[in-house]
C-alpha cells in the first residue's frame, strides 16, 4: 500500500511532531506530546540506520571521482539523513575565489520522502559565502544527481515531492531557526539548515 503523501496529509503529519503556535523556548514546548514524539522518532531512526549506512559505500563506489560525505545530525535538530556528494572539480572563478559544487540528498525520518538539490558554495580567501541552492535540474550537476537519485530510490523506499508541496507554508509551526509564519514543509520534514 502506498503512503498518502498529499499536501494535506503531510501537513497533518508534521503537526504530530511540532506543537502548534508555540516557539521552541516557550513553556510547555519541550514537554509537549508532539515534541516528545519527535525526539523518539529521531532516536528510533538512529537505532535503525542500517539501510542508510549501506547506501553510503554504494554511493562512493558509484561515484569514485566524487567526495561523498554523510552530514546526518539526527542527534541534534534535523529530521533527515543527509548526504553531500561533491563534484570532482572545484571551479576557480577568479583570483582567490573557488566554487564547490555538490548534489545533496535529504531523506526524511518522518515520512518516506526525499529531496535532492544542487548546492554551489563559493569561498573567497577563507570566507564562505551563502550557497546558491537549485531544487530543479541544472546541467552542471544533473549527471551526478541522476546517479545519486537512482541509488537512493533503489536502496531506500522513498519518493520525491514536488516543489509546490515542499515549500508549502506551515504558518502555525516553528521549527529550529524558522519563525512562526515562515516555516515550510521542507523545514519540518527535513531541516531548515540547507546548504
Amino acid at each position: 500500500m502506498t503512503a498518502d503523501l498529499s499536501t494535506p496529509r503531510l501537513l497533518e503529519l508534521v503537526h504530530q511532531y511540532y506543537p502548534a503556535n508555540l516557539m521552541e523556548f516557550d513553556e510547555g514546548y519541550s514537554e509537549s506530546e508532539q515534541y516528545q514524539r519527535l525526539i523518539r522518532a529521531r532516536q528510533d531512526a538512529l537505532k535503525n540506520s542500517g539501510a542508510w549506512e549501506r547506501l553510503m559505500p554504494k554511493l562512493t563506489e558509484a561515484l569514485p571521482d566524487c567526495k561523498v560525505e554523510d552530514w546526518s545530525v539526527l542527534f541534534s535538530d534535523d529530521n533527515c539523513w543527509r548526504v553531500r556528494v561533491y563534484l570532482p572539480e572545484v571551479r576557480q572563478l577568479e583570483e582567490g575565489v573557488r566554487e564547490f559544487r555538490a548534489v545533496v540528498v535529504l531523506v526524511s525520518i518522518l515520512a518516506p520522502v526525499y529531496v535532492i538539490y544542487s548546492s554551489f558554495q563559493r569561498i573567497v580567501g577563507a570566507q564562505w559565502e551563502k550557497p546558491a541552492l537549485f531544487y530543479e535540474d541544472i546541467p552542471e550537476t544533473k549527471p551526478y544527481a541522476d546517479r545519486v537519485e537512482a541509488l537512493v530510490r533503489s536502496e531506500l523506499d522513498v519518493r520525491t515531492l514536488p516543489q509546490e508541496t515542499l515549500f508549502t507554508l506551515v504558518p502555525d509551526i516553528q521549527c529550529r531557526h524558522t519563525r512562526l509564519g515562515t516555516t515550510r514543509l521542507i523545514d519540518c520534514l527535513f531541516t531548515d539548515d540547507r546548504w
Side-chain angles (χ1 to χ4, degrees):
M1 185 165 88
T2 305
D4 179 0
L5 300 177
S6 65
T7 302
R9 175 61 189 120
L10 291 171
L11 288 168
E12 181 182 308
L13 175 77
V14 297
H15 280 89
Q16 293 175 20
Y17 296 98
Y18 288 94
N21 298 309
L22 281 180
M23 298 290 286
E24 185 177 22
F25 298 107
D26 286 351
E27 186 176 326
Y29 185 96
S30 295
E31 299 78 26
S32 70
E33 177 183 328
Q34 295 88 345
Y35 183 71
Q36 291 303 311
R37 187 178 293 123
L38 181 60
I39 296 300
R40 284 192 304 274
R42 290 176 182 155
Q43 291 168 344
D44 290 346
L46 284 169
K47 289 178 192 171
N48 300 300
S49 61
W52 181 257
E53 290 173 12
R54 287 187 295 275
L55 175 64
M56 293 303 102
K58 290 180 181 184
L59 286 169
T60 301
E61 183 180 320
L63 299 151
D65 295 337
C66 296
K67 186 175 182 182
V68 176
E69 295 183 351
D70 185 350
W71 278 86
S72 303
V73 286
L74 291 175
F75 57 85
S76 181
D77 295 324
D78 286 353
N79 300 322
C80 63
W81 302 105
R82 179 194 321 239
V83 65
R84 297 181 66 83
V85 178
Y86 286 94
L87 276 59
E89 183 181 318
V90 175
R91 291 176 60 194
Q92 301 294 329
L93 301 177
E94 52 195 60
E95 182 138 357
V97 180
R98 295 176 294 154
E99 183 177 70
F100 292 82
R101 296 169 296 160
V103 173
V104 184
V105 176
L106 309 176
V107 178
S108 179
I109 64 163
L110 304 180
V113 295
Y114 72 95
V115 62
I116 187 167
Y117 60 90
S118 297
S119 171
F120 288 21
Q121 191 167 24
R122 294 179 179 182
I123 184 169
V124 181
Q127 183 69 37
W128 288 96
E129 293 183 349
K130 184 177 178 181
L133 305 181
F134 305 92
Y135 292 90
E136 64 282 341
D137 288 337
I138 56 172
E140 297 91 336
T141 59
K142 184 163 177 27
Y144 300 95
D146 287 348
R147 286 192 280 173
V148 170
E149 192 166 21
L151 268 171
V152 167
R153 288 175 151 233
S154 71
E155 298 297 320
L156 307 173
D157 188 18
V158 291
R159 296 189 344 226
T160 190
L161 293 172
Q163 281 194 47
E164 59 271 12
T165 300
L166 286 171
F167 291 96
T168 299
L169 194 62
V170 190
D172 61 344
I173 286 180
Q174 183 263 326
C175 86
R176 202 172 144 120
H177 298 110
T178 64
R179 297 182 320 275
L180 283 171
T182 67
T183 305
R184 309 272 175 188
L185 265 176
I186 192 171
D187 303 319
C188 301
L189 290 171
F190 304 98
T191 180
D192 71 322
D193 181 30
R194 297 181 300 278
W195 52 282

